[in-house]
Structure formats: C-alpha cells, structure tokens
Amino acid sequence: MAEINIRYLQDTDGERYFPMTHVNAILGLEEFDNGDDVENLQQIIRSLNTTISTLQSRVLTFETDNEQMKQDIEILKASIIPPEEGK
C-alpha cells in the first residue's frame, strides 16, 4: 500500500492554518441533526441527578440510624453488664 504524506494547508507566510466555514454553508448538514439526542441526554442527566439526590438522602438517613444504633447498643450493654463486671 502506498504511503500518503499529510500536507497541511499553509498561508502565504508558511504558517499552518485550518480552514473554517459557516454551518449554513454545509450542504446536507440537516441530515445529521442531533437535537433529539441532546434532549435525550438532558433527560438522562436529570434522571441521574434525581437518583443521586435520593441516594445521598438515604446515605444520610443510614448514618443517622447507625449512630442511633450505636447509642442503643451502649445503653443495652450498660443495662446487661454491670460496670464493675465489664472492666
């Protein structure tokens, strides 16, 4: 297979440049309209943000419940094992 050399466009001073055009000047671009894709992604992001918020709330609830259980365990220990025997 023949090797193809890459040739960059150069201006009159020999500097590399990349040509640009306006989006309206590209024929057939309307065939690649991805507006629905962007809307779908926005809906997915909103859904994920809601899920994250719910999970964060549940984590806080678990942390609170865990602390309460630790306190309850200490109270039960104190009521079951007298302090002089627990040493």
Side-chain angles (χ1 to χ4, degrees), residues 20-68:
M20 296 188 305
T21 187
H22 192 276
V23 68
N24 293 337
I26 302 173
L27 297 175
L29 186 64
E30 63 276 355
E31 295 174 20
F32 299 102
D33 179 23
N34 62 355
D36 292 336
D37 294 339
V38 171
E39 180 61 32
N40 291 340
L41 285 175
Q42 288 174 339
Q43 289 175 355
I44 291 170
I45 289 169
R46 281 193 293 272
S47 174
L48 288 173
N49 284 335
T50 301
T51 302
I52 288 169
S53 179
T54 301
L55 291 173
Q56 286 174 332
S57 176
R58 290 181 68 187
V59 165
L60 289 175
T61 301
F62 288 144
E63 288 174 346
T64 304
D65 290 349
N66 191 29
E67 286 302 315
Q68 183 61 46

